[in-house]
Amino acid sequence: MTGIDTPLTRLLGIRRPILLAGMAGGPTTPELVAAVSRAGGLGVFGLAGMNAAATHDAVSLAIAHSDDAPVGVNVLISPAVPRPGADPAAMDAVLAPMRAQMGLPHPPPPGAAPATPLELVEAALDAGARVVATGLGDPAVVAGAAHDAGAPLIVMVSTVDDARRAVSAGADVVVAQGAEAGGHRSNFEVPPDHEVPLVGTAALVRQVVHAVDVPVVAAGGIMDGPGLAAALALGASGVQLGTALLVAEEAGVPAGWRDRLRHARDDESVITRALSGRPARGLPNALTEALEVPGAMGWPQQNAVAADIRRAAAAAGDADHMSLWAGQAAGLAGPDRPAAQIIDEITDGAIEAMRMLGDLAG
Ligand SMILES: Cc1cc2nc3c(=O)[nH]c(=O)nc-3n(C[C@H](O)[C@H](O)[C@H](O)COP(=O)(O)O)c2cc1C
């Protein structure tokens, strides 16, 4: 297997500086996590929304198929974000007809309370996870558990200030998440009533590299070998891929979402609070448009309000009513193929790009 050696690969004990973004809510199946780890990257589960027992089972299953390569887990810290003018009745008026049309009960049956980040991390470590990653908040609540188990702590940030806070809280690796990234913005604090700062990947990675003395990983808009080579040139020790691996055959992503991704234009994704109450980048659809109304609530209430609709739509392959998280470079995703092939293509493409750049000198 062709490898690329960086401070990140040495710290994590992997051959290739490519992390699968833990993507909660379905994409990161045990099969995808195991396939990325077997291919020399780090497979990471997105655990947010799961319970401890399901976490233990899923992590154990991935480890059983990872050929002894390390497997990581990701939790969302995500403190509450209130929203001025929140009005549950306004949301009800939007959702009741949608549920009627989809044949779902209104109101939906109450769901179980989600496990805390610490409960999820403890269950994952008990099952044998060897790396802990966090997004969307100060990681202090899980840092002790990770370090007591000897697991490196990877913390995703979207600003230089949060990168410094992450390291003070115990981060062994910082993921610099640029504005291009699909999914939720990873700012530790989100203002209730104005936009989050949006720093592009190149600008953020370079400044985070200067600000902290732990390995930095670039995230946001990286889809191929030249993207990995560019991240390494900026001083990153590796990349974290979300969107690029949504088209892996092993990913838990319905066909309609895959099709929207590979046909997405560069300017098509939007950052919206409509689906969860926190800003996140995805492709617009009927659901985001319907929920973008006065009275929409904050995090976590807004995330729960249409969860039954998103789940039913994902099960039915209905791309109009599920969340379609996607980064700005989604249009480069290409056809469905095995995760190992995507990791091989990115590694080989980066090595080729680095050689080509070397040839330019002199
Ligand atoms: C479908 C999807 C789900 C995501 N879920 C999570 C998550 O559960 N935890 C997390 O830390 N980041 C999550 N992210 C964000 C990624 O960690 C990462 O920042 C982003 O995917 C990088 O940009 P890219 O999508 O252009 O590769 C998610 C991203 C996507 C696309």
Side-chain angles (χ1 to χ4, degrees), residues 135-339:
L136 282 59
D138 189 313
V141 283
V142 299
H147 288 151
D148 287 350
L153 178 65
I154 303 180
V155 179
M156 187 164 69
V157 303
S158 302
T159 63
V160 170
D161 271 355
D162 284 349
R164 291 201 183 95
R165 277 178 69 184
V167 172
S168 305
D172 302 296
V173 174
V174 169
V175 177
Q177 184 205 43
E180 295 93 322
H184 283 94
R185 306 297 313 142
S186 202
N187 304 77
F188 286 7
E189 268 97 35
V190 170
D193 47 8
H194 58 89
E195 297 313 318
V196 283
L198 288 172
V199 186
T201 302
L204 183 65
V205 167
R206 197 72 199 124
Q207 293 179 84
V208 171
V209 164
H210 279 285
V212 300
D213 54 11
V214 299
V216 174
V217 170
I222 296 160
M223 303 293 289
D224 54 17
L228 169 55
L232 296 176
L234 289 169
S237 283
V239 293
Q240 175 161 305
L241 305 179
T243 305
L245 285 162
L246 291 175
V247 297
E249 283 170 5
E250 300 89 343
V253 175
W257 185 1
R258 292 168 185 260
D259 286 343
R260 286 285 312 269
L261 287 171
R262 61 181 132 251
H263 295 117
R265 293 189 321 267
D266 57 339
D267 62 353
E268 198 174 339
S269 67
V270 293
I271 293 187
T272 177
R273 298 188 189 208
L275 290 181
S276 71
R278 281 187 68 114
R281 181 180 293 284
L283 299 170
N285 63 4
L287 184 64
T288 52
E289 277 158 33
L291 295 180
E292 199 73 75
V293 287
M297 294 180 285
W299 172 277
Q301 293 81 5
Q302 185 72 7
N303 192 46
V305 88
D308 60 320
I309 292 176
R310 295 200 309 268
R311 254 194 318 273
D318 165 11
D320 287 335
H321 295 95
M322 66 176 95
S323 39
L324 299 174
W325 303 135
Q328 284 183 319
L332 297 172
D336 293 351
R337 54 217 193 276

